[in-house]
Every structure is written in C-alpha cells, then in structure tokens.
Amino acid sequence: MQRQYAILTEGQSEPHAAKTACSVIRYRGSEVLAVIDSQQVGRTTQEVLGVGGAIPFVASLDDVPRADTLLIGIAPVGGQIPASWRGVILAAIDRGMDVVSGLHDFLADDPEFAAAAQTRGVRLIDVRRNRQRDVARRIGLRPDCLRIHTVGHDCSVGKMVAAIEITNALKRRGHSAKFLATGQTGILVEGDGVPVDCVVADFVSGAIEQLVLQHQHHDFLVIEGQGSLVHPAYSGVTLGLLHGCAPHGLILCYEVGREIVTGVPEMRIPPLGDIKRLNEVMANVMQPCAVIGIAMNGRLVSPEVAAAERQRRREEFQLPVCDVLRDGPGELVDAVLQLRKRIMP
Amino acid sequence: MQRQYAILTEGQSEPHAAKTACSVIRYRGSEVLAVIDSQQVGRTTQEVLGVGGAIPFVASLDDVPRADTLLIGIAPVGGQIPASWRGVILAAIDRGMDVVSGLHDFLADDPEFAAAAQTRGVRLIDVRRNRQRDVARRIGLRPDCLRIHTVGHDCSVGKMVAAIEITNALKRRGHSAKFLATGQTGILVEGDGVPVDCVVADFVSGAIEQLVLQHQHHDFLVIEGQGSLVHPAYSGVTLGLLHGCAPHGLILCYEVGREIVTGVPEMRIPPLGDIKRLNEVMANVMQPCAVIGIAMNGRLVSPEVAAAERQRRREEFQLPVCDVLRDGPGELVDAVLQLRKRIMP
C-alpha cells in the first residue's frame, strides 16, 4: 500500500536530527506530500535537507489536506516524543490520519493518543514495537548465501544508506539480493525488518538471526549496522547485531570530519584503522570476516576535499572507497562480488 | 524484610539449571525453608546442589506450610515458565504466598496469575521487569571510586559468585565496597541491581551507568558480568555492560573443563588467553583497563586437579588465580587493592 505522508520535523529540520525524514524522502519520495516545520515554510526539502526535489515545507496539517499518514520524522537520543508535538499528533488523529512513529516511546501506549485513535478509527503504528524472544543458536545458516554487514565509526554516518545502495546495485546487476533493515528508518523504507535497538537485550542476536533465516533464499543479504563498537551507549547493540548476522564481509562506513562520539562530547572517535581492527576482531569470533570496502560519507565537504580524502583512504587501507551517493556504490559492489567468487566458488 | 522461601526447581535440580536456587541458598540460606522437586525428596540441597547444609527437598507446597514466598529457582534459555509449573504457581497464590520470578516471561503479565494474585491479595514479583530509559553519557563518574568487573569465557561460570566473594572480602578488610548486581539472581541476593539482559537494548549501558552513579560513594564497586564476548546470543549484553560500567580492572572467570559455548553445541570456546585479550581490547576503548586476576571455577574437578590447573594458569598468565569458593578470594582482593594503590595513589 502506498501512503501519502506528511512528515513532522518541527524545529528540527537539519539532516542529522531529521535523518528518518531524509531517508524516507530519499527512498519513498513519491509517497511524501510535504514536511511540516513552521520555521522552514517556503523552502523545499532539497534546499533544507539536501534531498527530495520540490517537496515543500509547510506550516501545518491544514496545508497538506491529501495526506493520510503523519510520520514522526526525527530520531532523538532516548527516543521520546517532544512535548510540543502532541498537539499536531492529536490533530492528525482527529483528521482521520494514521500516525507512524519510530520512537522508543510508543504512541499506542499513550492513553490520550490511544483513546483518540480508537474514537477516530485510525492506526497508531509504532515501528520499534516488537515481541522478539528468539535466542541466537547458529543453526540453519545457508552456506551459499553471502552476508554483508555495514559497520561504522559512529551513529548516523550512512550505514543504512550504504546497505540500501549496495543492495539496489546488486539487483540492477541481476543478482538476488535483499536489504535487511535493523532500525526504524530502514524498516519504513524496506517495509520489513527488525528494530534491534528496541529488542530486549538478551534477544538482539536472535532477532537478527531470525531475519537472516527468513530471507536467506536470496544469494546476497546486506544487513544494516547500528551504532558503533566504540559508542559507550550503543556498542552492545552493535556487537549483538554483528554476532547475530555473522557476516562474511564488512563495509566500513564513516563520515568525513566526524571526530566526536555522537552524544558524548568529551569522547573522541578512535582512528578509522582502529575501528576496522575492532570490527574484524569481534566479527572473526563467529566466522572468518574482513572489511572489504569503505563507504565514505562526504556530505559535509566539497567535491574536491572528498576526492582527496577518497584517494588518501584508498592508499591507507588498500581497499575500494566510495561515497555511495556522490560516486555510486560500484566499487563496493565489485568487492562484494569478488568476495563471493573467492569464498563461494 | 526476611522472606521464608520455598524454591521451585521441579525436574531441574542440578547446579547449572538451578543456578538461581543455588545462589539464593548460598547467600540467603537462612530464608530458605525447602526446595520443591518431587524427584529429589528425602535428599538435602547439600547433597543435590552442593550447598545449603540440611535444607530439605520436598514434594510439594503441602510440605512447607510456613513458607510465605514461592521462588522460581531456574533460569532457562529464553526465560519461559515451564508449562508444568503453572499448577504449583497457582497453588502458591491460592495459599496466600507471594511469587518471585526472574524469568523473561513476567508472571504479572499472565492473565490467570494476575487475576489469582489480585483475588488473593498477594504480590507477583518479576525481578527482571524494568523501565530503564537512560542512555549512557559518561558524565559524573567519581575518579576515586574503583570499578572492578567480572567477565567470563561463557555463561554461568561464576562471575556473580566471584563478584560477591570479592566484595564481601573487601568489606571484611574494612573497605567501603558494594556488589552491583546485573542479573536476576544477583538482584535476589543483594536486594537491588539492574537486570541488564532484560533492558531494551539501546539502554543497557545507560542502565549500568546509572547504577554506578547511584553507588559510587563507595570506594570499590564490584560489578557482576553477564554472558561472554564470544557468546553468539549474549555478546551484546556483555559488551553493553562492559562499556557501561567502564571498569578500571577485570577479573576473568572461567570454569575448568568447560569447552563448548552454552546452548550452541557446535561452537568451541576460544582459549582463555583469547578471551582475556578480547575483553582487554574492548574495555580499553573506554578506559585504561587490564585483567588483574583470574577466578577459576573448579566445581567439576577434584582438589588435586584444581590445584594443578591453578598453578598452570598462574604460570601462563603471571596473575593471581583462585577458586573463590575453594581457596577463598584473598589473592584477587590483594590484586584489587594493589590496582587501587597504583592508579589512585
């Protein structure tokens, strides 16, 4: 079913805070009618978020009468709904719109929202809600399904985008491939997946293992990474995911210029070589595995700076490096196909 | 408040499956009246579980009329209540007993149990239930509170027991120390703590960080470890805990003779030296940290075999090694005090 989204990013319309909005616009743009932020009225999402062409910013729901769904377009630390947004959510329900949220605080658990939705007969869709209760067992993995996993040096550096772009390029080249979404935005884009950061901790690896088992009839699975092994808040999710999907190869994702751990101002991110080594050491506990390519996110730098950085990283790591949005994912897809040829001849 | 426990281990009365029962008997034995397992009637817990002296096994609740609380004494993979135990739980409620459980399936969420408990006016106490929603921030850690963390080569090898024994020995030597419980059994023993394996994955590190912040007026915190960095199902919990408590020193716990990963028959546990290295590499992402001693669990071997193993490990690692129950934790406590003297002079 195609939706007709109005996306709410009120007061938080910059690409980092509004990353859910950005990715839904990028990959499901035909379903997005407008983005609501009273401070950005008159501008397009292309101007403000760098994506989406002529999709307009509008001041309120009154300006998007055809929308059938309100999507909460941010992913704040801790996952709570900003208090000032309650009125907009209630107004959307009152108009008969479904409301979709990827936050940790579930809409359907809020008595006021739940009562209003029941009265009006609309759905509150909490993308992170799950009842995952599977423990990982490492049984039944298909030996000729290649598992590629995107890992990163921090949160929000492009692990999901790299995974989607590589998957789409594999499909364009005629391969049977699927993107396995592990976060709320990826699930909205793909239509299925597991919100691993909201799974009860004991079942994180089991949840992703189940997702792999369900989809391993494909020849390639590209599994979205979360957080980073050096993030003091989220490293457990990162490792549970890494061990649960037991990848054959890793794509190392980083953002040019990112130096400080998201949300932890006093902590510097270790050098990329250290991040690579940590991921390889931990991945190899389960399965022989190496970083086979690097996805560089150069959104904050000029094309010239990005080109120089790309060359420098190629020389440093002797691996393919590309910005999947600026350069396309071709070199990384080549690396995936070479890995398959080498280990699954 | 002192309780008068009857502990239920029906059909699963061996020390590994019944580890919750064993530890509550070991550390709160004065509150345990009997253990219920119709297959063990006539024997003592000392005979069957190796702990508890003359505490008897009995066939049913009828044999423990003074008990005011039924404790579920096992911790199965996946955390579900065996179907055959429902009758005993309902009978306990009917007698006016509280029921305490550390399982992932919450008693209070079971409509039949909940209705019976409400009718009878008793409490259903789910030790794992929590509403943890704190993200780790690495702010406010007291620089002169020494944090020691027990880590291991697998599940159920003695990380909790080592932490408790070291804490108690520190107290006996006159130091201000606290055991920080991170699992259901530890919480039952200590009376507080955080059930990290049942926290929503994004908040594991934050939950243990909050527990540290609450108790860091002590000079020593000894934080119970969970799982292991090489367990395919639980490594995420292990790392979230390791990074959330950011220890200054590690005690490496292992069981002599344990070779296969619990619950994953085809996976061998890597050598102890590899486990040590992985834990040190991952701990040092947050804070300078090394393994300062080894807690060897020799419950399955003779005193002679244990003594030889202890000597071999001492030579291999050039570190103090002891079985905290057989040898006492003295050498490990010495190592903790030496670490404090070295880094907090």
Side-chain angles (χ1 to χ4, degrees), chain B residues 11-26:
Chain B
Q12 302 194 37
S13 301
E14 59 82 25
H16 194 80
K19 71 173 186 172
T20 298
C22 285
S23 290
V24 171
I25 292 169
R26 185 183 308 283

Side-chain angles (χ1 to χ4, degrees), chain A residues 270-329:
Chain A
L272 201 58
D274 292 0
I275 303 287
K276 175 174 178 289
R277 180 178 57 89
L278 286 175
N279 275 282
E280 290 179 333
V281 165
M282 295 313 297
N284 275 276
V285 168
M286 296 301 145
Q287 150 101 24
C289 179
V291 170
I292 61 167
I294 297 178
M296 175 190 109
N297 175 347
R299 72 180 178 94
L300 297 177
V301 297
S302 69
E304 295 71 31
V305 171
E309 167 83 8
R310 187 181 182 191
Q311 190 53 36
R312 185 172 76 82
R313 294 298 194 182
R314 279 174 166 150
E315 288 165 13
E316 178 181 0
F317 293 106
Q318 298 292 309
L319 286 172
V321 178
C322 43
D323 183 321
V324 296
L325 295 180
R326 199 175 242 153
D327 311 315

Side-chain angles (χ1 to χ4, degrees), chain B residues 81 86 89-90 93 105-118 124 126 129:
Chain B
I81 297 166
R86 297 188 62 85
I89 292 169
L90 287 166
I93 293 170
D105 274 3
F106 297 140
L107 298 174
D109 290 347
D110 183 292
E112 190 177 13
F113 294 155
Q118 186 164 28
L124 302 177
D126 289 298
R129 187 186 288 279

Side-chain angles (χ1 to χ4, degrees), chain A residues 56-67:
Chain A
F57 272 91
V58 298
S60 79
L61 289 170
D62 294 335
D63 303 311
V64 213
R66 287 192 303 115

